[in-house]
Amino acid sequence: MSTILLSYIVPVYNTAPYLGKCLQSLVNQGLQHDEYEIIAVDDGSSDNSREVIENFAKDYPQVRLITQANAGVSAARNKALDLAQGRFVQFVDSDDYLEPNVMGPLVHRAVGENLDVLMFNFKWVDASGNLIKVSKPREDMRTTPAMGGVEFLEKFTLMQYVCWYLVSLEHLNRLNLRFDTSLIACEDGALAAQFLLHARRVAFSEVAPYCYVSRSDSAMNNTNRDHLRRRIFSQIDAAALIDRSIKEFEAQTGGNSPASVAGLRNLYLFFSMTKSLTCGCVDETVAHMRELGLYPFPCIGYEINYDGKKWKILHGLMMHPKVWALLGRVYGMVRN
Protein backbone atom coordinates (compact mmCIF):
# COMPACT_ATOMS: atom_id res chain seq x y z
CA MET A 1 0.00 0.00 0.00
CA SER A 2 1.23 3.49 -0.86
CA THR A 3 2.56 5.55 2.05
CA ILE A 4 1.95 8.80 0.17
CA LEU A 5 -0.33 11.04 2.19
CA LEU A 6 -0.65 13.96 -0.20
CA SER A 7 -0.67 14.42 -3.96
CA TYR A 8 -0.17 18.01 -5.07
CA ILE A 9 -1.89 18.54 -8.42
CA VAL A 10 -0.37 21.41 -10.37
CA PRO A 11 -1.71 22.26 -13.86
CA VAL A 12 0.87 24.33 -15.73
CA TYR A 13 0.42 26.63 -18.70
CA ASN A 14 2.98 29.35 -19.51
CA THR A 15 3.78 30.28 -15.91
CA ALA A 16 7.56 29.86 -15.95
CA PRO A 17 8.26 33.10 -14.00
CA TYR A 18 6.15 31.88 -11.07
CA LEU A 19 6.65 28.14 -11.24
CA GLY A 20 9.89 27.83 -9.26
CA LYS A 21 8.42 29.63 -6.25
CA CYS A 22 5.29 27.49 -6.45
CA LEU A 23 7.16 24.18 -6.56
CA GLN A 24 9.62 25.18 -3.83
CA SER A 25 6.72 26.06 -1.53
CA LEU A 26 5.25 22.58 -1.96
CA VAL A 27 8.36 20.81 -0.67
CA ASN A 28 8.61 23.11 2.36
CA GLN A 29 5.55 21.81 4.21
CA GLY A 30 7.05 19.64 6.94
CA LEU A 31 6.20 16.36 5.21
CA GLN A 32 8.71 13.53 4.81
CA HIS A 33 9.99 13.00 1.26
CA ASP A 34 8.01 9.76 0.92
CA GLU A 35 4.76 11.27 2.27
CA TYR A 36 3.94 13.44 -0.75
CA GLU A 37 4.19 13.69 -4.50
CA ILE A 38 3.92 16.60 -6.90
CA ILE A 39 2.15 15.89 -10.18
CA ALA A 40 2.84 18.78 -12.54
CA VAL A 41 0.87 18.60 -15.78
CA ASP A 42 2.31 20.78 -18.53
CA ASP A 43 -0.75 21.66 -20.59
CA GLY A 44 1.04 22.46 -23.85
CA SER A 45 3.06 25.44 -22.57
CA SER A 46 4.90 27.48 -25.20
CA ASP A 47 7.34 29.05 -22.73
CA ASN A 48 10.04 27.24 -20.72
CA SER A 49 7.69 25.94 -18.02
CA ARG A 50 8.57 22.34 -18.83
CA GLU A 51 12.29 23.08 -18.45
CA VAL A 52 11.66 24.68 -15.04
CA ILE A 53 9.86 21.53 -13.87
CA GLU A 54 12.53 19.20 -15.26
CA ASN A 55 15.31 21.14 -13.53
CA PHE A 56 13.41 21.19 -10.23
CA ALA A 57 12.76 17.44 -10.47
CA LYS A 58 16.51 16.77 -10.60
CA ASP A 59 16.69 17.71 -6.91
CA TYR A 60 13.24 16.44 -5.90
CA PRO A 61 12.31 12.98 -7.19
CA GLN A 62 8.81 13.47 -5.72
CA VAL A 63 8.03 15.58 -8.79
CA ARG A 64 6.28 13.79 -11.66
CA LEU A 65 6.09 15.69 -14.94
CA ILE A 66 3.17 14.87 -17.24
CA THR A 67 2.86 16.54 -20.63
CA GLN A 68 -0.17 16.91 -22.87
CA ALA A 69 -1.34 19.00 -25.78
CA ASN A 70 -3.21 22.08 -24.61
CA ALA A 71 -6.60 20.91 -23.33
CA GLY A 72 -7.34 23.26 -20.43
CA VAL A 73 -6.98 23.22 -16.66
CA SER A 74 -9.80 20.72 -16.06
CA ALA A 75 -8.28 18.12 -18.40
CA ALA A 76 -4.88 18.64 -16.77
CA ARG A 77 -6.28 18.18 -13.26
CA ASN A 78 -8.25 15.11 -14.33
CA LYS A 79 -5.16 13.48 -15.79
CA ALA A 80 -3.31 14.07 -12.53
CA LEU A 81 -6.21 12.69 -10.48
CA ASP A 82 -6.12 9.49 -12.50
CA LEU A 83 -2.41 9.09 -11.67
CA ALA A 84 -2.42 10.29 -8.05
CA GLN A 85 -1.42 7.90 -5.26
CA GLY A 86 -1.92 10.07 -2.17
CA ARG A 87 -4.58 9.70 0.52
CA PHE A 88 -5.48 13.35 -0.13
CA VAL A 89 -5.13 15.75 -3.03
CA GLN A 90 -4.33 19.45 -2.94
CA PHE A 91 -4.99 21.52 -6.08
CA VAL A 92 -2.41 24.26 -6.56
CA ASP A 93 -2.30 26.67 -9.48
CA SER A 94 1.21 27.07 -10.85
CA ASP A 95 1.37 30.84 -10.29
CA ASP A 96 0.30 30.52 -6.64
CA TYR A 97 2.21 29.16 -3.65
CA LEU A 98 1.83 27.86 -0.08
CA GLU A 99 3.01 29.36 3.19
CA PRO A 100 5.83 27.20 4.66
CA ASN A 101 5.18 24.33 7.07
CA VAL A 102 1.40 24.65 7.14
CA MET A 103 0.11 21.91 4.86
CA GLY A 104 1.92 19.11 6.71
CA PRO A 105 -0.06 19.52 9.95
CA LEU A 106 -3.30 19.86 7.95
CA VAL A 107 -2.62 16.61 6.09
CA HIS A 108 -1.86 14.75 9.31
CA ARG A 109 -5.07 16.07 10.83
CA ALA A 110 -7.07 14.96 7.79
CA VAL A 111 -5.52 11.49 7.92
CA GLY A 112 -5.80 11.15 11.70
CA GLU A 113 -9.49 12.15 11.74
CA ASN A 114 -10.34 10.10 8.62
CA LEU A 115 -11.82 13.14 6.87
CA ASP A 116 -13.27 13.27 3.39
CA VAL A 117 -12.68 17.02 3.16
CA LEU A 118 -10.69 19.56 5.16
CA MET A 119 -11.36 23.21 4.37
CA PHE A 120 -9.19 26.20 5.32
CA ASN A 121 -8.79 29.93 4.70
CA PHE A 122 -6.54 31.37 2.03
CA LYS A 123 -4.71 34.61 1.29
CA TRP A 124 -4.91 36.95 -1.68
CA VAL A 125 -1.49 38.48 -2.40
CA ASP A 126 -0.09 40.70 -5.13
CA ALA A 127 2.71 39.68 -7.50
CA SER A 128 5.27 40.86 -4.93
CA GLY A 129 3.76 38.72 -2.17
CA ASN A 130 2.14 41.62 -0.30
CA LEU A 131 -1.05 40.63 1.50
CA ILE A 132 -4.26 41.96 -0.05
CA LYS A 133 -6.70 40.15 2.22
CA VAL A 134 -7.38 36.84 3.96
CA SER A 135 -10.44 35.15 2.48
CA LYS A 136 -12.71 33.42 4.98
CA PRO A 137 -16.02 31.61 4.51
CA ARG A 138 -17.26 33.67 7.47
CA GLU A 139 -15.45 36.26 9.55
CA ASP A 140 -16.25 34.60 12.88
CA MET A 141 -15.56 31.05 11.69
CA ARG A 142 -13.04 29.10 13.77
CA THR A 143 -11.53 25.62 13.57
CA THR A 144 -14.30 23.01 13.79
CA PRO A 145 -14.55 19.34 14.66
CA ALA A 146 -15.58 16.86 11.96
CA MET A 147 -19.21 16.78 10.87
CA GLY A 148 -21.25 15.50 7.92
CA GLY A 149 -21.08 17.39 4.64
CA VAL A 150 -24.74 18.41 4.74
CA GLU A 151 -24.42 19.71 8.30
CA PHE A 152 -21.29 21.62 7.27
CA LEU A 153 -23.07 23.22 4.32
CA GLU A 154 -26.05 24.12 6.49
CA LYS A 155 -23.79 25.95 8.94
CA PHE A 156 -21.18 27.44 6.63
CA THR A 157 -20.74 28.90 3.17
CA LEU A 158 -19.97 26.76 0.14
CA MET A 159 -16.71 28.26 -1.14
CA GLN A 160 -16.20 27.64 -4.83
CA TYR A 161 -12.43 27.38 -5.34
CA VAL A 162 -10.91 23.91 -4.95
CA CYS A 163 -7.72 25.45 -3.56
CA TRP A 164 -9.70 25.93 -0.31
CA TYR A 165 -9.76 22.18 0.31
CA LEU A 166 -7.83 19.03 1.02
CA VAL A 167 -9.95 16.26 -0.51
CA SER A 168 -9.71 12.51 -0.01
CA LEU A 169 -8.83 10.78 -3.28
CA GLU A 170 -10.87 7.76 -2.21
CA HIS A 171 -13.85 10.08 -1.69
CA LEU A 172 -13.53 11.52 -5.20
CA ASN A 173 -13.08 8.08 -6.76
CA ARG A 174 -15.97 6.58 -4.79
CA LEU A 175 -18.27 9.23 -6.24
CA ASN A 176 -16.58 9.06 -9.66
CA LEU A 177 -15.99 12.81 -9.53
CA ARG A 178 -13.84 14.71 -12.01
CA PHE A 179 -13.78 18.26 -13.40
CA ASP A 180 -16.09 19.01 -16.33
CA THR A 181 -13.76 19.69 -19.26
CA SER A 182 -16.44 21.62 -21.17
CA LEU A 183 -16.21 24.50 -18.67
CA ILE A 184 -13.63 27.29 -18.93
CA ALA A 185 -14.86 28.99 -15.74
CA CYS A 186 -16.45 27.94 -12.44
CA GLU A 187 -15.52 24.28 -12.87
CA ASP A 188 -14.27 24.42 -9.27
CA GLY A 189 -17.63 25.27 -7.75
CA ALA A 190 -19.47 22.57 -9.67
CA LEU A 191 -17.10 19.93 -8.28
CA ALA A 192 -16.95 21.35 -4.75
CA ALA A 193 -20.75 21.24 -4.47
CA GLN A 194 -20.67 17.53 -5.26
CA PHE A 195 -17.81 16.43 -3.02
CA LEU A 196 -19.19 18.41 -0.05
CA LEU A 197 -22.84 17.36 -0.44
CA HIS A 198 -21.84 13.70 -0.30
CA ALA A 199 -19.01 13.93 2.24
CA ARG A 200 -19.26 11.83 5.40
CA ARG A 201 -16.71 13.77 7.45
CA VAL A 202 -15.82 17.45 6.85
CA ALA A 203 -13.88 19.83 9.06
CA PHE A 204 -12.52 23.37 8.88
CA SER A 205 -9.18 24.84 9.97
CA GLU A 206 -8.79 28.59 10.40
CA VAL A 207 -5.18 28.62 9.16
CA ALA A 208 -4.48 30.12 5.71
CA PRO A 209 -1.79 28.12 3.89
CA TYR A 210 -2.70 29.00 0.29
CA CYS A 211 -1.51 32.24 -1.34
CA TYR A 212 -3.52 33.21 -4.39
CA VAL A 213 -1.46 35.59 -6.54
CA SER A 214 -3.59 38.33 -8.10
CA ARG A 215 -2.15 39.00 -11.56
CA SER A 216 -3.35 41.66 -14.01
CA ASP A 217 -2.44 39.38 -16.95
CA SER A 218 -4.32 36.32 -15.69
CA ALA A 219 -7.22 34.71 -17.54
CA MET A 220 -9.56 35.97 -14.80
CA ASN A 221 -8.73 39.54 -15.83
CA ASN A 222 -9.02 39.04 -19.59
CA THR A 223 -11.46 41.70 -20.86
CA ASN A 224 -11.67 40.49 -24.46
CA ARG A 225 -15.38 40.47 -25.38
CA ASP A 226 -15.36 36.99 -26.93
CA HIS A 227 -13.49 35.61 -23.92
CA LEU A 228 -15.97 37.27 -21.53
CA ARG A 229 -18.89 35.84 -23.47
CA ARG A 230 -17.45 32.33 -23.24
CA ARG A 231 -16.86 32.77 -19.50
CA ILE A 232 -20.46 33.94 -19.04
CA PHE A 233 -21.82 30.85 -20.77
CA SER A 234 -19.44 28.60 -18.83
CA GLN A 235 -20.60 30.18 -15.59
CA ILE A 236 -24.22 29.48 -16.51
CA ASP A 237 -23.36 25.88 -17.44
CA ALA A 238 -21.62 25.46 -14.07
CA ALA A 239 -24.77 26.77 -12.37
CA ALA A 240 -26.73 24.14 -14.30
CA LEU A 241 -24.40 21.41 -13.01
CA ILE A 242 -24.92 22.60 -9.44
CA ASP A 243 -28.67 22.69 -10.04
CA ARG A 244 -28.51 19.08 -11.26
CA SER A 245 -26.51 18.09 -8.15
CA ILE A 246 -29.19 19.68 -5.95
CA LYS A 247 -31.98 17.80 -7.70
CA GLU A 248 -30.11 14.47 -7.61
CA PHE A 249 -29.31 14.92 -3.92
CA GLU A 250 -32.92 15.72 -3.04
CA ALA A 251 -34.20 12.79 -5.10
CA GLN A 252 -31.78 10.41 -3.35
CA THR A 253 -32.34 11.66 0.20
CA GLY A 254 -35.90 12.94 0.12
CA GLY A 255 -34.68 16.05 1.93
CA ASN A 256 -33.79 19.59 1.00
CA SER A 257 -30.34 20.54 -0.20
CA PRO A 258 -28.53 23.08 2.03
CA ALA A 259 -29.30 26.66 1.02
CA SER A 260 -25.61 27.45 0.55
CA VAL A 261 -25.49 25.15 -2.49
CA ALA A 262 -28.37 27.00 -4.17
CA GLY A 263 -26.64 30.21 -3.10
CA LEU A 264 -23.56 29.37 -5.17
CA ARG A 265 -25.72 28.41 -8.14
CA ASN A 266 -27.53 31.74 -7.97
CA LEU A 267 -24.34 33.68 -7.40
CA TYR A 268 -23.03 32.34 -10.72
CA LEU A 269 -26.27 33.42 -12.39
CA PHE A 270 -26.18 36.86 -10.79
CA PHE A 271 -22.66 37.57 -12.00
CA SER A 272 -23.44 36.14 -15.42
CA MET A 273 -26.17 38.76 -15.73
CA THR A 274 -23.82 41.48 -14.48
CA LYS A 275 -21.15 40.54 -17.04
CA SER A 276 -23.73 40.24 -19.80
CA LEU A 277 -24.60 43.90 -19.30
CA THR A 278 -21.00 45.05 -19.61
CA CYS A 279 -20.36 42.61 -22.45
CA GLY A 280 -23.46 43.55 -24.45
CA CYS A 281 -24.92 40.04 -24.67
CA VAL A 282 -27.95 40.22 -22.36
CA ASP A 283 -30.37 38.57 -24.80
CA GLU A 284 -28.04 35.61 -25.38
CA THR A 285 -27.42 35.21 -21.67
CA VAL A 286 -31.09 35.20 -20.72
CA ALA A 287 -31.90 32.80 -23.58
CA HIS A 288 -29.21 30.37 -22.40
CA MET A 289 -30.46 30.51 -18.81
CA ARG A 290 -34.04 29.90 -19.94
CA GLU A 291 -32.92 26.99 -22.10
CA LEU A 292 -31.44 25.40 -18.98
CA GLY A 293 -34.45 26.23 -16.79
CA LEU A 294 -32.49 28.72 -14.68
CA TYR A 295 -34.33 31.98 -15.39
CA PRO A 296 -35.80 33.65 -13.42
CA PHE A 297 -33.66 32.93 -10.35
CA PRO A 298 -34.10 34.05 -6.70
CA CYS A 299 -32.11 36.78 -5.01
CA ILE A 300 -29.68 34.84 -2.81
CA GLY A 301 -25.93 34.36 -2.62
CA TYR A 302 -23.07 34.84 -0.19
CA GLU A 303 -20.61 37.32 -1.73
CA ILE A 304 -23.07 40.16 -2.03
CA ASN A 305 -25.17 41.89 0.61
CA TYR A 306 -28.51 40.91 -0.82
CA ASP A 307 -30.24 42.45 2.19
CA GLY A 308 -29.17 45.87 0.94
CA LYS A 309 -31.44 47.90 -1.32
CA LYS A 310 -28.77 48.16 -4.03
CA TRP A 311 -28.64 44.44 -4.71
CA LYS A 312 -32.37 43.90 -4.44
CA ILE A 313 -32.88 46.62 -7.02
CA LEU A 314 -30.24 45.09 -9.31
CA HIS A 315 -31.83 41.67 -9.04
CA GLY A 316 -35.26 43.17 -9.77
CA LEU A 317 -33.89 44.79 -12.93
CA MET A 318 -32.23 41.54 -13.98
CA MET A 319 -35.61 39.82 -13.84
CA HIS A 320 -36.86 42.23 -16.54
CA PRO A 321 -34.62 41.29 -19.48
CA LYS A 322 -35.79 44.10 -21.76
CA VAL A 323 -34.91 46.67 -19.11
CA TRP A 324 -31.58 44.95 -18.42
CA ALA A 325 -30.78 44.86 -22.15
CA LEU A 326 -31.60 48.57 -22.40
CA LEU A 327 -29.20 49.28 -19.53
CA GLY A 328 -26.60 47.24 -21.41
CA ARG A 329 -27.01 49.43 -24.49
CA VAL A 330 -26.75 52.60 -22.38
CA TYR A 331 -23.61 51.21 -20.73
CA GLY A 332 -22.13 50.46 -24.15
CA MET A 333 -22.78 53.99 -25.39
CA VAL A 334 -21.27 55.55 -22.27
CA ARG A 335 -18.22 53.27 -22.42
CA ASN A 336 -17.60 54.03 -26.09
Side-chain angles (χ1 to χ4, degrees):
M1 181 180 294
S2 172
T3 60
I4 297 175
L5 302 182
L6 177 62
S7 295
Y8 294 110
I9 292 178
V10 188
V12 179
Y13 182 71
N14 290 346
T15 52
Y18 309 92
L19 192 48
K21 182 174 184 177
C22 173
L23 294 173
Q24 189 63 53
S25 76
L26 305 187
V27 304
N28 294 333
Q29 294 302 317
L31 291 166
Q32 299 298 315
H33 67 88
D34 59 347
E35 289 184 321
Y36 70 95
E37 63 178 353
I38 301 171
I39 307 176
V41 182
D42 181 15
D43 186 37
S45 295
S46 57
D47 66 358
N48 65 325
S49 291
R50 177 174 178 174
E51 182 182 350
V52 172
I53 300 168
E54 289 174 337
N55 288 334
F56 192 84
K58 292 176 183 177
D59 296 322
Y60 297 97
Q62 303 95 321
V63 178
R64 302 166 64 188
L65 170 62
I66 311 298
T67 60
Q68 66 178 30
N70 182 248
V73 64
S74 290
R77 286 170 170 169
N78 287 345
K79 178 170 282 191
L81 281 171
D82 290 340
L83 298 171
Q85 300 179 54
R87 289 264 312 261
F88 287 84
V89 295
Q90 164 68 28
F91 299 100
V92 182
D93 289 343
S94 57
D95 51 354
D96 298 336
Y97 59 92
L98 302 179
E99 293 283 14
N101 297 312
V102 183
M103 195 56 64
L106 290 178
V107 172
H108 285 291
R109 180 190 176 189
V111 171
E113 296 185 20
N114 195 28
L115 300 177
D116 287 331
V117 183
L118 177 60
M119 182 181 174
F120 38 79
N121 293 321
F122 79 95
K123 299 176 181 178
W124 295 72
V125 299
D126 63 21
S128 300
N130 299 309
L131 179 67
I132 299 173
K133 67 175 181 177
V134 177
S135 286
K136 304 177 181 180
R138 206 175 68 193
E139 283 301 316
D140 62 344
M141 191 169 174
R142 298 292 182 263
T143 297
T144 72
M147 64 190 77
V150 173
E151 181 184 0
F152 187 87
L153 289 169
E154 287 173 341
K155 290 183 176 181
F156 307 114
T157 300
L158 168 54
M159 306 307 289
Q160 71 266 42
Y161 301 119
V162 291
C163 61
W164 289 78
Y165 305 98
L166 274 175
V167 189
S168 161
L169 182 60
E170 187 277 333
H171 178 57
L172 292 175
N173 289 340
R174 176 172 55 85
L175 297 171
N176 196 29
L177 292 183
R178 292 295 186 267
F179 292 92
D180 189 311
T181 57
S182 70
L183 302 178
I184 67 163
C186 302
E187 69 284 344
D188 287 30
L191 188 75
Q194 291 177 296
F195 67 60
L196 282 168
L197 266 177
H198 298 281
R200 295 162 296 193
R201 290 178 59 80
V202 181
F204 172 78
S205 173
E206 62 191 276
V207 302
Y210 194 98
C211 295
Y212 174 86
V213 179
S214 181
R215 294 168 45 205
S216 60
D217 61 340
S218 70
M220 290 285 289
N221 293 313
N222 188 333
T223 57
N224 175 271
R225 185 183 184 280
D226 289 338
H227 177 77
L228 285 175
R229 181 183 174 279
R230 288 188 291 117
R231 287 187 66 86
I232 289 168
F233 276 61
S234 181
Q235 201 163 23
I236 296 169
D237 291 340
L241 288 177
I242 295 174
D243 188 66
R244 186 187 311 162
S245 296
I246 291 172
K247 290 174 180 175
E248 290 175 350
F249 173 84
E250 293 180 346
Q252 291 170 5
T253 64
N256 293 324
S257 171
S260 61
V261 184
L264 181 58
R265 176 197 63 197
N266 293 330
L267 182 73
Y268 285 168
L269 298 175
F270 188 98
F271 281 109
S272 294
M273 287 294 286
T274 303
K275 290 294 184 183
S276 75
L277 185 148
T278 60
C279 193
C281 57
V282 172
D283 291 341
E284 292 177 85
T285 298
V286 172
H288 192 50
M289 287 185 185
R290 279 183 167 150
E291 179 185 5
L292 296 172
L294 297 174
Y295 188 92
F297 57 91
C299 182
I300 60 174
Y302 64 84
E303 283 190 356
I304 299 175
N305 176 17
Y306 284 99
D307 293 327
K309 292 182 179 179
K310 174 182 177 181
W311 300 111
K312 291 191 180 219
I313 292 171
L314 280 175
H315 178 265
L317 293 171
M318 288 176 181
M319 296 304 101
H320 294 83
K322 290 183 180 180
V323 175
W324 197 248
L326 175 61
L327 289 175
R329 288 193 289 274
V330 172
Y331 175 88
M333 288 188 291
V334 172
R335 183 182 59 182
N336 295 328

